[in-house]
Amino acid sequence: MSLVRLNIKGISYSQTQNGAYALILNEEGGDRKLPIVIGAFEAQSIAIALEKEIRPPRPLTHDLFKNFSDRFSIVVKQVIIHKLVDGVFYSSLICEREGIEEIIDARTSDAIALALRFQAPIFTYKNILDKAGIYLKVNPKKDDEDQDSILMDDLVAEEVEAATFGDANDGSYKDLSLEDLHNMLDEAVANEDYETAAKLRDEISKR
């Protein structure tokens, strides 16, 4: 299967799911976007890595990993988003130390946060992009245009919201008991289906 290189275009905040963000990746040499749901901490870590002027007073978790890796001569060579199951992306870090290559499983949000710190390329397989890639009617700002923030503008955010999060208020959980919701939440977290987990958490909070 052929690999497609991806570049980060920006981050969109969900208006319907509290604390959820969509990281927008763009295929190199194409127009398709790959939106990936991430949490607030990961969104902050990615944003800080993109905004070179911002330096936290103490290292974040991903910065600590980078410092640790540098100390022991470990380099992240590339990140590959290699699997998509039930809306959950699975990724691998391709690492190298003293000429020996290792593959390490990682959450996609963590993998991308680290890829930025190591200046490592991000790839996915063409079949994943064919399955999950979207076209945006309103294109994000180009790299050479002035852009004060990596957050997408409102029009792009609305498109990403519809394509990525859907309607979180569709009432699909309204007939379930709190016990059922908690059981489903535990199962979603165990399966790393954080999009469903966020919806379930919101429904539990409303109760």
Side-chain angles (χ1 to χ4, degrees), residues 175-195:
D175 296 326
L176 297 175
S177 67
L178 269 176
E179 182 180 358
D180 290 336
L181 290 171
H182 280 290
N183 290 336
M184 290 175 66
L185 177 60
D186 291 340
E187 183 179 352
V189 171
N191 293 330
E192 297 187 5
D193 185 358
Y194 299 117
E195 180 178 354

PDB file of all heavy atoms in Angstrom, residues 175-195:
ATOM      1  N   ASP A 175     -32.816   7.282  25.583  1.00  0.00           N
ATOM      2  CA  ASP A 175     -33.614   6.202  26.161  1.00  0.00           C
ATOM      3  C   ASP A 175     -32.796   5.248  27.024  1.00  0.00           C
ATOM      4  O   ASP A 175     -33.343   4.287  27.569  1.00  0.00           O
ATOM      5  CB  ASP A 175     -34.308   5.405  25.044  1.00  0.00           C
ATOM      6  CG  ASP A 175     -35.303   6.251  24.262  1.00  0.00           C
ATOM      7  OD1 ASP A 175     -35.918   7.136  24.881  1.00  0.00           O
ATOM      8  OD2 ASP A 175     -35.446   6.026  23.048  1.00  0.00           O
ATOM      9  N   LEU A 176     -31.500   5.501  27.153  1.00  0.00           N
ATOM     10  CA  LEU A 176     -30.631   4.621  27.936  1.00  0.00           C
ATOM     11  C   LEU A 176     -30.553   5.090  29.385  1.00  0.00           C
ATOM     12  O   LEU A 176     -30.653   6.280  29.682  1.00  0.00           O
ATOM     13  CB  LEU A 176     -29.228   4.593  27.333  1.00  0.00           C
ATOM     14  CG  LEU A 176     -29.108   4.039  25.909  1.00  0.00           C
ATOM     15  CD1 LEU A 176     -27.677   4.185  25.418  1.00  0.00           C
ATOM     16  CD2 LEU A 176     -29.527   2.576  25.856  1.00  0.00           C
ATOM     17  N   SER A 177     -30.378   4.127  30.296  1.00  0.00           N
ATOM     18  CA  SER A 177     -30.232   4.470  31.707  1.00  0.00           C
ATOM     19  C   SER A 177     -28.820   4.977  31.966  1.00  0.00           C
ATOM     20  O   SER A 177     -27.901   4.781  31.155  1.00  0.00           O
ATOM     21  CB  SER A 177     -30.500   3.243  32.579  1.00  0.00           C
ATOM     22  OG  SER A 177     -29.487   2.265  32.387  1.00  0.00           O
ATOM     23  N   LEU A 178     -28.638   5.613  33.130  1.00  0.00           N
ATOM     24  CA  LEU A 178     -27.308   6.092  33.491  1.00  0.00           C
ATOM     25  C   LEU A 178     -26.318   4.937  33.601  1.00  0.00           C
ATOM     26  O   LEU A 178     -25.157   5.060  33.215  1.00  0.00           O
ATOM     27  CB  LEU A 178     -27.368   6.851  34.822  1.00  0.00           C
ATOM     28  CG  LEU A 178     -27.617   8.363  34.748  1.00  0.00           C
ATOM     29  CD1 LEU A 178     -27.750   8.946  36.124  1.00  0.00           C
ATOM     30  CD2 LEU A 178     -26.500   9.055  33.976  1.00  0.00           C
ATOM     31  N   GLU A 179     -26.787   3.798  34.129  1.00  0.00           N
ATOM     32  CA  GLU A 179     -25.903   2.632  34.235  1.00  0.00           C
ATOM     33  C   GLU A 179     -25.450   2.171  32.857  1.00  0.00           C
ATOM     34  O   GLU A 179     -24.269   1.863  32.651  1.00  0.00           O
ATOM     35  CB  GLU A 179     -26.628   1.496  34.957  1.00  0.00           C
ATOM     36  CG  GLU A 179     -25.754   0.258  35.159  1.00  0.00           C
ATOM     37  CD  GLU A 179     -26.486  -0.861  35.879  1.00  0.00           C
ATOM     38  OE1 GLU A 179     -27.662  -0.655  36.249  1.00  0.00           O
ATOM     39  OE2 GLU A 179     -25.881  -1.932  36.059  1.00  0.00           O
ATOM     40  N   ASP A 180     -26.394   2.155  31.892  1.00  0.00           N
ATOM     41  CA  ASP A 180     -26.047   1.766  30.526  1.00  0.00           C
ATOM     42  C   ASP A 180     -25.025   2.739  29.930  1.00  0.00           C
ATOM     43  O   ASP A 180     -24.073   2.330  29.256  1.00  0.00           O
ATOM     44  CB  ASP A 180     -27.300   1.715  29.653  1.00  0.00           C
ATOM     45  CG  ASP A 180     -28.211   0.551  30.004  1.00  0.00           C
ATOM     46  OD1 ASP A 180     -27.702  -0.439  30.563  1.00  0.00           O
ATOM     47  OD2 ASP A 180     -29.422   0.640  29.724  1.00  0.00           O
ATOM     48  N   LEU A 181     -25.254   4.027  30.180  1.00  0.00           N
ATOM     49  CA  LEU A 181     -24.349   5.034  29.642  1.00  0.00           C
ATOM     50  C   LEU A 181     -22.941   4.874  30.213  1.00  0.00           C
ATOM     51  O   LEU A 181     -21.946   4.973  29.483  1.00  0.00           O
ATOM     52  CB  LEU A 181     -24.890   6.439  29.945  1.00  0.00           C
ATOM     53  CG  LEU A 181     -26.147   6.870  29.180  1.00  0.00           C
ATOM     54  CD1 LEU A 181     -26.682   8.177  29.740  1.00  0.00           C
ATOM     55  CD2 LEU A 181     -25.854   7.011  27.695  1.00  0.00           C
ATOM     56  N   HIS A 182     -22.848   4.626  31.519  1.00  0.00           N
ATOM     57  CA  HIS A 182     -21.534   4.450  32.141  1.00  0.00           C
ATOM     58  C   HIS A 182     -20.842   3.202  31.608  1.00  0.00           C
ATOM     59  O   HIS A 182     -19.619   3.216  31.368  1.00  0.00           O
ATOM     60  CB  HIS A 182     -21.673   4.382  33.662  1.00  0.00           C
ATOM     61  CG  HIS A 182     -21.831   5.705  34.329  1.00  0.00           C
ATOM     62  ND1 HIS A 182     -20.813   6.626  34.412  1.00  0.00           N
ATOM     63  CD2 HIS A 182     -22.913   6.292  34.919  1.00  0.00           C
ATOM     64  CE1 HIS A 182     -21.223   7.711  35.053  1.00  0.00           C
ATOM     65  NE2 HIS A 182     -22.507   7.532  35.372  1.00  0.00           N
ATOM     66  N   ASN A 183     -21.603   2.130  31.406  1.00  0.00           N
ATOM     67  CA  ASN A 183     -21.016   0.906  30.859  1.00  0.00           C
ATOM     68  C   ASN A 183     -20.513   1.129  29.437  1.00  0.00           C
ATOM     69  O   ASN A 183     -19.425   0.659  29.059  1.00  0.00           O
ATOM     70  CB  ASN A 183     -22.040  -0.228  30.878  1.00  0.00           C
ATOM     71  CG  ASN A 183     -22.349  -0.716  32.283  1.00  0.00           C
ATOM     72  OD1 ASN A 183     -21.524  -0.560  33.190  1.00  0.00           O
ATOM     73  ND2 ASN A 183     -23.513  -1.301  32.481  1.00  0.00           N
ATOM     74  N   MET A 184     -21.309   1.856  28.634  1.00  0.00           N
ATOM     75  CA  MET A 184     -20.897   2.149  27.267  1.00  0.00           C
ATOM     76  C   MET A 184     -19.686   3.064  27.242  1.00  0.00           C
ATOM     77  O   MET A 184     -18.804   2.932  26.384  1.00  0.00           O
ATOM     78  CB  MET A 184     -22.065   2.784  26.498  1.00  0.00           C
ATOM     79  CG  MET A 184     -23.208   1.831  26.208  1.00  0.00           C
ATOM     80  SD  MET A 184     -24.615   2.660  25.439  1.00  0.00           S
ATOM     81  CE  MET A 184     -23.896   3.132  23.860  1.00  0.00           C
ATOM     82  N   LEU A 185     -19.619   4.001  28.195  1.00  0.00           N
ATOM     83  CA  LEU A 185     -18.473   4.906  28.284  1.00  0.00           C
ATOM     84  C   LEU A 185     -17.200   4.120  28.593  1.00  0.00           C
ATOM     85  O   LEU A 185     -16.150   4.343  27.959  1.00  0.00           O
ATOM     86  CB  LEU A 185     -18.721   5.970  29.356  1.00  0.00           C
ATOM     87  CG  LEU A 185     -17.577   6.951  29.634  1.00  0.00           C
ATOM     88  CD1 LEU A 185     -17.210   7.734  28.386  1.00  0.00           C
ATOM     89  CD2 LEU A 185     -17.952   7.910  30.759  1.00  0.00           C
ATOM     90  N   ASP A 186     -17.287   3.194  29.551  1.00  0.00           N
ATOM     91  CA  ASP A 186     -16.120   2.373  29.886  1.00  0.00           C
ATOM     92  C   ASP A 186     -15.661   1.567  28.676  1.00  0.00           C
ATOM     93  O   ASP A 186     -14.455   1.443  28.408  1.00  0.00           O
ATOM     94  CB  ASP A 186     -16.459   1.425  31.048  1.00  0.00           C
ATOM     95  CG  ASP A 186     -16.659   2.164  32.366  1.00  0.00           C
ATOM     96  OD1 ASP A 186     -16.185   3.308  32.476  1.00  0.00           O
ATOM     97  OD2 ASP A 186     -17.309   1.597  33.270  1.00  0.00           O
ATOM     98  N   GLU A 187     -16.621   1.025  27.931  1.00  0.00           N
ATOM     99  CA  GLU A 187     -16.281   0.225  26.751  1.00  0.00           C
ATOM    100  C   GLU A 187     -15.644   1.089  25.666  1.00  0.00           C
ATOM    101  O   GLU A 187     -14.672   0.676  25.021  1.00  0.00           O
ATOM    102  CB  GLU A 187     -17.538  -0.460  26.209  1.00  0.00           C
ATOM    103  CG  GLU A 187     -17.278  -1.369  25.017  1.00  0.00           C
ATOM    104  CD  GLU A 187     -18.538  -2.058  24.522  1.00  0.00           C
ATOM    105  OE1 GLU A 187     -19.587  -1.948  25.183  1.00  0.00           O
ATOM    106  OE2 GLU A 187     -18.459  -2.705  23.463  1.00  0.00           O
ATOM    107  N   ALA A 188     -16.189   2.301  25.459  1.00  0.00           N
ATOM    108  CA  ALA A 188     -15.643   3.201  24.437  1.00  0.00           C
ATOM    109  C   ALA A 188     -14.212   3.600  24.774  1.00  0.00           C
ATOM    110  O   ALA A 188     -13.340   3.649  23.893  1.00  0.00           O
ATOM    111  CB  ALA A 188     -16.529   4.440  24.302  1.00  0.00           C
ATOM    112  N   VAL A 189     -13.944   3.887  26.042  1.00  0.00           N
ATOM    113  CA  VAL A 189     -12.587   4.265  26.458  1.00  0.00           C
ATOM    114  C   VAL A 189     -11.636   3.087  26.278  1.00  0.00           C
ATOM    115  O   VAL A 189     -10.509   3.239  25.799  1.00  0.00           O
ATOM    116  CB  VAL A 189     -12.585   4.755  27.924  1.00  0.00           C
ATOM    117  CG1 VAL A 189     -11.155   4.944  28.424  1.00  0.00           C
ATOM    118  CG2 VAL A 189     -13.358   6.057  28.047  1.00  0.00           C
ATOM    119  N   ALA A 190     -12.102   1.879  26.648  1.00  0.00           N
ATOM    120  CA  ALA A 190     -11.264   0.692  26.500  1.00  0.00           C
ATOM    121  C   ALA A 190     -10.905   0.438  25.038  1.00  0.00           C
ATOM    122  O   ALA A 190      -9.811  -0.025  24.720  1.00  0.00           O
ATOM    123  CB  ALA A 190     -11.981  -0.525  27.083  1.00  0.00           C
ATOM    124  N   ASN A 191     -11.833   0.786  24.131  1.00  0.00           N
ATOM    125  CA  ASN A 191     -11.606   0.597  22.694  1.00  0.00           C
ATOM    126  C   ASN A 191     -10.943   1.809  22.041  1.00  0.00           C
ATOM    127  O   ASN A 191     -10.796   1.853  20.814  1.00  0.00           O
ATOM    128  CB  ASN A 191     -12.928   0.301  21.981  1.00  0.00           C
ATOM    129  CG  ASN A 191     -13.517  -1.037  22.371  1.00  0.00           C
ATOM    130  OD1 ASN A 191     -12.777  -1.960  22.691  1.00  0.00           O
ATOM    131  ND2 ASN A 191     -14.842  -1.140  22.363  1.00  0.00           N
ATOM    132  N   GLU A 192     -10.610   2.826  22.876  1.00  0.00           N
ATOM    133  CA  GLU A 192      -9.995   4.062  22.389  1.00  0.00           C
ATOM    134  C   GLU A 192     -10.890   4.790  21.395  1.00  0.00           C
ATOM    135  O   GLU A 192     -10.414   5.510  20.512  1.00  0.00           O
ATOM    136  CB  GLU A 192      -8.614   3.793  21.767  1.00  0.00           C
ATOM    137  CG  GLU A 192      -7.614   3.236  22.758  1.00  0.00           C
ATOM    138  CD  GLU A 192      -6.214   3.125  22.208  1.00  0.00           C
ATOM    139  OE1 GLU A 192      -5.996   3.575  21.055  1.00  0.00           O
ATOM    140  OE2 GLU A 192      -5.333   2.597  22.891  1.00  0.00           O
ATOM    141  N   ASP A 193     -12.206   4.607  21.531  1.00  0.00           N
ATOM    142  CA  ASP A 193     -13.176   5.315  20.693  1.00  0.00           C
ATOM    143  C   ASP A 193     -13.567   6.593  21.429  1.00  0.00           C
ATOM    144  O   ASP A 193     -14.630   6.691  22.038  1.00  0.00           O
ATOM    145  CB  ASP A 193     -14.397   4.431  20.425  1.00  0.00           C
ATOM    146  CG  ASP A 193     -15.389   5.077  19.468  1.00  0.00           C
ATOM    147  OD1 ASP A 193     -15.142   6.233  19.052  1.00  0.00           O
ATOM    148  OD2 ASP A 193     -16.406   4.450  19.150  1.00  0.00           O
ATOM    149  N   TYR A 194     -12.673   7.584  21.386  1.00  0.00           N
ATOM    150  CA  TYR A 194     -12.844   8.778  22.205  1.00  0.00           C
ATOM    151  C   TYR A 194     -13.945   9.703  21.685  1.00  0.00           C
ATOM    152  O   TYR A 194     -14.492  10.504  22.445  1.00  0.00           O
ATOM    153  CB  TYR A 194     -11.506   9.516  22.312  1.00  0.00           C
ATOM    154  CG  TYR A 194     -10.443   8.678  22.967  1.00  0.00           C
ATOM    155  CD1 TYR A 194      -9.293   8.307  22.288  1.00  0.00           C
ATOM    156  CD2 TYR A 194     -10.605   8.215  24.268  1.00  0.00           C
ATOM    157  CE1 TYR A 194      -8.321   7.504  22.887  1.00  0.00           C
ATOM    158  CE2 TYR A 194      -9.650   7.425  24.886  1.00  0.00           C
ATOM    159  CZ  TYR A 194      -8.518   7.073  24.181  1.00  0.00           C
ATOM    160  OH  TYR A 194      -7.566   6.281  24.776  1.00  0.00           O
ATOM    161  N   GLU A 195     -14.255   9.587  20.411  1.00  0.00           N
ATOM    162  CA  GLU A 195     -15.357  10.390  19.878  1.00  0.00           C
ATOM    163  C   GLU A 195     -16.672   9.953  20.519  1.00  0.00           C
ATOM    164  O   GLU A 195     -17.451  10.782  20.992  1.00  0.00           O
ATOM    165  CB  GLU A 195     -15.425  10.238  18.355  1.00  0.00           C
ATOM    166  CG  GLU A 195     -16.548  11.059  17.725  1.00  0.00           C
ATOM    167  CD  GLU A 195     -16.564  10.933  16.207  1.00  0.00           C
ATOM    168  OE1 GLU A 195     -15.649  10.303  15.646  1.00  0.00           O
ATOM    169  OE2 GLU A 195     -17.506  11.460  15.607  1.00  0.00           O
TER     170      GLU A 195
END
